[in-house]
Amino acid sequence: DAKTTQPPSMDCAEGRAANLPCNHSTISGNEYVYWYRQIHSQGPQYIIHGLKNNETNEMASLIITEDRKSSTLILPHATLRDTAVYYCIVDDYKLSFGAGTTVTVRA
Amino acid sequence: DADVTQTPRNRITKTGKRIMLECSQTKGHDRMYWYRQDPGLGLRLIYYSFDVKDINKGEISDGYSVSRQAQAKFSLSLESAIPNQTALYFCATSESGQISYNEQFFGPGTRLTVL
């Protein structure tokens, strides 16, 4: 059973911020929110994770709502190379990938 | 990133054949995983191992077996391959320790076709 809900697809203009939503209303207190992406058919790549607080790294920012029932991944300046399937995952020690959001960055 | 390698990268086999997919890692991680991905879908967990003596079934283990030969090696076997096992297979690793933090590192994948 999927623990997360994501839109199937979204487009983004190159250079603009991409905001990827994820709902995880059944998340439990010790479960992290992870984001991975998969470019074409390559192995998925870790982007970021968080528990309660907002997080930022060199790739993206993660905003988690106070009730932890949803989150948003922000790619601050999308490039064509960010075109990929983005997976939002909630789990404690093993990852369950849903269908993800196919993000297409357009020039 | 060659920290996680998979062999072969591509394989075509026939129904009923036994086939082994191999995964090796140089990251020094204790935990290793096998996933399969069907076209247009996300990854599904087949088996996972938290250390050399620990093997666990994942979401879709039927028709598969695994062997953890060493910390660095985790093999996936299809005892008698069938066409619906045609898929892209990924191996992954992660550190042990903080059980609630699980960043996984993936290999490049093995594309398996069963005729």
Side-chain angles (χ1 to χ4, degrees), chain A residues 11-12 16-17 51 55 57 77 90 97 103:
Chain A
D11 286 357
C12 176
R16 304 295 294 271
L51 184 61
E55 302 287 345
N57 63 19
H77 304 287
V90 167
F97 289 78
V103 174

Side-chain angles (χ1 to χ4, degrees), chain B residues 36-51:
Chain B
R36 69 174 275 175
Q37 185 174 33
D38 295 285
L41 301 179
L43 282 69
R44 291 184 291 170
L45 184 62
I46 305 172
Y47 272 95
Y48 60 102
S49 168
F50 280 1
D51 64 40

Side-chain angles (χ1 to χ4, degrees), chain B residues 67-80:
Chain B
S67 174
R68 185 79 185 268
Q69 301 95 320
Q71 185 203 40
K73 296 184 182 298
F74 193 35
S75 300
L76 177 72
S77 293
L78 287 67
E79 297 300 327
S80 180

Side-chain angles (χ1 to χ4, degrees), chain B residues 45-64:
Chain B
L45 184 62
I46 305 172
Y47 272 95
Y48 60 102
S49 168
F50 280 1
D51 64 40
V52 174
K53 296 181 180 180
D54 176 77
I55 302 289
N56 303 282
K57 293 183 177 180
E59 183 184 351
I60 52 164
S61 59
D62 288 349
Y64 301 94

Side-chain angles (χ1 to χ4, degrees), chain A residues 63-85:
Chain A
I63 308 298
I64 302 174
T65 59
E66 190 169 347
D67 64 8
R68 303 210 324 125
K69 292 184 177 182
S70 66
S71 61
T72 300
L73 179 75
I74 302 172
L75 307 177
H77 304 287
T79 70
L80 298 179
R81 290 177 297 178
D82 292 323
T83 292
V85 179

Side-chain angles (χ1 to χ4, degrees), chain B residues 24-35:
Chain B
S24 294
Q25 52 111 350
T26 59
K27 300 191 75 68
H29 289 169
D30 287 327
R31 300 181 178 184
M32 299 187 74
Y33 310 80
W34 275 105
Y35 294 87

